Amino acid sequence: MLGRGAAYRVSRGATFAHILNSNMAAPAGFSSLVQQPAFEFTNTNSSSLDQACNSSSKNSPKPKKIPKELIDKYRRGKVHAVSFLYQLSQVLQFQVEMKETVTTGGVIGFYFAFCAVIDGVEYKTGMGINKKEARLKAAQLAVEELLSNLENDTVLPDASVSPPPLPVKEQNSTASAIRPRRVMFEGKNPVKDQVPSAVKELLSKLMDNYPEFSDCGGTVAAFVIQSPTGCEVVALGTGNYNAQECLAPNGRILHDSHAVVTARRSLMRYLYRHLLLFYSRNHCLEGKSVFQLDENTKLLSLKSHTTLHLYLNQLCKGAAQIPSHLRLNPLSVSAWEVNNQIGLHVTVDGKVFSVFSSTVDQSGSRIISMSATDKITQWQVLGFQGALLSHFIEPIYVSSILIGDESCSDTRGMEIAVNQRVDGITSKLPMYYCVYRPHISLVPSVIPTDAHNAQRTLSLNWSQGDVSLEVVDGVKGKAVEESPFKSGPALASRLCKAAMLSRFNLVAKETHREELLAAISYREAKMMAKPYQEAKSVLKSYLATRGYGQWVEKPPISDHLTM
């Protein structure tokens, strides 16, 4: 871990300066105290601060030749269009960004649209029922036009020249698809109404069935799937603590019981369940699965017209909780404080600390976890499915993060943490991984927050298909005796690593993946997911290089359980 002094050894001034300037209103007289940046940091889908700092002038000569092997790699499908577009931007020295909007209409109330903007010129808009599909389509359209121009020895269009008009049909369908800044939902957004309603309905049902645990819902996270039939909660978790038990190689202790972590592990159980449905060799059961086969990747992906959303009833611990008074003003805040607020954080015994803090003990006597905010940042790049599920499915991202926190007045901290800290990383990631930017917004609270109840150390988990709740003692990392669901006398949680490994083995057998069954340990099976591990390494290196601090890893012993 970096010490307190390490915060000053990393070049991070430009990054934090422009992120703060673009998100926080400056106080009176601020412009006279701090030199203003020479460019604007626009909050668009793939705009990169590093590119804005380092790219050449628009008027500088642009080379027309691209290495043939780069094009061949794209044509063979070894690199996806979004990544290839950013690689082209580096070779041809142009600036690229992906402008995003949401347009009403379509099967489930809205669809997504992206437009690639190259040196100020807008290309055709790609559309889809989810962001991944729309973004890839937009990048593909831009790449094909660029390659066509280059093959014809045509220079890149100048920003002062208007792009050719779109066909009438496309003009009509994309009239509202191009915006200069971040997406805003147009008209009535059904997600903002339907998701909180679905979460509230499920919580009410669970609390009615188990009133003795009604005080365990102070901090709630839930994953909701939206399809043409509506919204349904598929995974839910509550909790606010780390286990105080020592790390052990048996994988039967739940180390992190924070709500979003518990909900995410419940989501993984839901995904395993639907993998088994898909591979059941029963046509009726396969049709009930949320998955479909992607013929290009030979992996499974969520069905078309299906999107995943995350609901939180509290703003996550960590960088998302940037204080409202924080300003980039040398008279009111030090660079060290800025580093602490926007950098990576860890949680210990339910308390949060900056990774730059010298008070964090890494001796191994306590279990340390990355903050919920940092974990969401990671999952929006690597996918919420984790390493083991990556053997079977493509990365799964959430399309929106809805925060029902009555005490929260804005989402700028979450925007900075989840979206802007990873600007510019897409081109460095392996195929099928990208920076997937969720729409972040405030919604009504579905449950009152009470941080002082007697059951605050307990954590609930549930996923669609479960007959009953499981109640875990977050401090001990095991289910309690009174839990409606108990896996056995040892009280190991159904969310623990050993339970996940058992499900992984079951799917590996169903899919006849002998190479996966040959892995001798949980860790080895995770490391065999090479693209996922590469993306993970890129992300952690990128965050460290940008000055956000070192990602704190748990000791390998926690992954040593055998197959």
Side-chain angles (χ1 to χ4, degrees), residues 366-420:
R366 291 183 175 182
I367 292 177
I368 299 177
S369 300
M370 297 304 297
S371 72
T373 300
D374 297 325
K375 287 189 174 183
I376 292 176
T377 302
Q378 174 183 247
W379 296 330
Q380 279 302 105
V381 176
L382 306 182
F384 282 76
Q385 75 293 331
L388 293 184
L389 279 166
S390 295
H391 287 291
F392 312 107
I393 64 179
E394 294 180 7
I396 291 180
Y397 305 100
V398 297
S399 296
S400 61
I401 299 176
L402 308 173
I403 304 171
D405 189 338
E406 295 178 343
S407 64
C408 181
S409 60
D410 63 63
T411 62
R412 64 182 177 183
M414 186 69 83
E415 290 277 357
I416 291 173
V418 176
N419 291 336
Q420 295 180 22

Side-chain angles (χ1 to χ4, degrees), residues 518-536:
I520 62 174
S521 69
Y522 180 88
R523 179 174 178 79
E524 182 177 338
K526 287 173 60 176
M527 298 307 295
M528 288 171 67
K530 295 188 184 303
Y532 181 91
Q533 296 299 338
E534 180 186 348
K536 186 177 181 180

Side-chain angles (χ1 to χ4, degrees), residues 15 19 22 41-51 86 135 381 415-428 435 437 542-543 546 548:
T15 300
I19 285 179
S22 65
F41 180 76
T42 57
N43 188 8
T44 50
N45 219 45
S46 294
S47 114
S48 169
L49 183 61
D50 293 338
Q51 291 171 352
Y86 277 93
R135 194 174 180 211
V381 176
E415 290 277 357
I416 291 173
V418 176
N419 291 336
Q420 295 180 22
R421 289 194 301 184
V422 288
D423 266 332
I425 196 177
T426 296
S427 63
K428 301 173 177 60
V435 176
R437 299 175 183 275
Y542 191 80
L543 290 171
R546 301 256 293 190
Y548 297 114

Side-chain angles (χ1 to χ4, degrees), residues 78-280:
K78 298 295 184 181
V79 63
H80 59 71
V82 177
S83 180
F84 181 63
L85 185 59
Y86 277 93
Q87 291 179 30
L88 283 183
S89 73
Q90 294 171 8
V91 174
L92 299 178
Q93 300 177 17
F94 60 73
Q95 293 184 19
V96 61
E97 60 184 0
M98 302 290 283
K99 290 185 178 179
E100 173 193 354
T101 189
V102 177
T103 306
T104 56
V107 178
I108 58 173
F110 67 88
Y111 57 87
F112 293 91
F114 281 80
C115 176
V117 182
I118 298 175
D119 275 359
V121 177
E122 296 168 339
Y123 283 67
K124 292 182 180 179
T125 300
M127 300 182 187
I129 202 66
N130 58 55
K131 289 188 176 184
K132 177 182 177 182
E133 178 185 9
R135 194 174 180 211
L136 281 173
K137 285 182 178 179
Q140 288 168 355
L141 290 170
V143 166
E144 292 303 325
E145 187 166 347
L146 281 176
L147 292 180
S148 176
N149 287 341
L150 291 167
E151 289 170 0
N152 297 327
D153 202 31
T154 305
V155 296
L156 290 173
D158 184 79
S160 62
V161 180
S162 300
L166 299 175
V168 174
K169 182 178 179 180
E170 190 166 7
Q171 285 179 342
N172 293 337
S173 64
T174 64
S176 60
I178 298 174
R179 293 289 185 272
R181 297 187 65 80
R182 176 153 178 84
V183 56
M184 292 299 292
F185 280 87
E186 300 177 8
K188 187 175 178 63
N189 172 19
V191 172
K192 293 180 68 174
D193 297 325
Q194 294 176 10
V195 167
S197 176
V199 175
K200 184 175 183 178
E201 181 180 351
L202 176 65
L203 276 173
S204 297
K205 181 179 178 180
L206 292 175
M207 294 303 100
D208 288 344
N209 291 336
Y210 306 100
E212 65 271 30
F213 299 111
S214 59
D215 290 337
C216 299
T219 305
V220 176
F223 288 93
V224 179
I225 280 187
Q226 186 186 32
S227 68
T229 59
C231 287
E232 56 181 349
V233 180
V234 298
L236 180 142
T238 75
N240 242 335
Y241 276 82
N242 297 92
Q244 294 180 356
E245 299 288 330
C246 294
L247 290 169
N250 61 14
R252 287 173 170 77
I253 298 295
L254 200 59
H255 300 134
D256 190 340
S257 294
H258 285 81
V260 71
V261 177
T262 302
R264 184 250 182 172
R265 295 186 74 82
S266 297
L267 173 68
M268 293 165 71
R269 294 184 60 240
Y270 169 83
L271 296 177
Y272 274 118
R273 187 172 288 142
H274 279 258
L275 276 174
L276 292 173
L277 286 176
F278 185 88
Y279 290 116
S280 65

Side-chain angles (χ1 to χ4, degrees), residues 279-411:
Y279 290 116
S280 65
R281 291 180 288 279
N282 180 306
H283 184 71
C284 181
L285 293 179
E286 181 183 338
K288 294 180 180 180
S289 173
V290 74
F291 291 116
Q292 63 183 8
L293 180 65
D294 188 317
E295 293 295 342
N296 294 322
T297 66
K298 301 305 178 183
L299 296 172
L300 301 188
S301 63
L302 293 180
K303 286 180 177 177
S304 300
H305 312 309
T306 300
T307 52
L308 184 66
H309 307 272
L310 172 60
Y311 172 86
L312 306 167
N313 84 320
Q314 286 189 17
L315 195 60
C316 292
K317 295 177 181 179
Q321 298 187 353
I322 294 175
S324 58
H325 70 271
L326 189 63
R327 298 285 187 271
L328 190 67
N329 185 334
L331 299 183
S332 63
V333 65
S334 67
W336 181 81
E337 183 181 351
V338 175
N339 292 352
N340 274 266
Q341 296 296 342
I342 306 181
L344 299 175
H345 290 72
V346 295
T347 57
V348 184
D349 296 341
K351 299 177 181 178
V352 64
F353 302 89
S354 166
V355 295
F356 297 104
S357 172
S358 60
T359 62
V360 178
D361 175 20
Q362 292 192 80
S363 63
S365 59
R366 291 183 175 182
I367 292 177
I368 299 177
S369 300
M370 297 304 297
S371 72
T373 300
D374 297 325
K375 287 189 174 183
I376 292 176
T377 302
Q378 174 183 247
W379 296 330
Q380 279 302 105
V381 176
L382 306 182
F384 282 76
Q385 75 293 331
L388 293 184
L389 279 166
S390 295
H391 287 291
F392 312 107
I393 64 179
E394 294 180 7
I396 291 180
Y397 305 100
V398 297
S399 296
S400 61
I401 299 176
L402 308 173
I403 304 171
D405 189 338
E406 295 178 343
S407 64
C408 181
S409 60
D410 63 63
T411 62

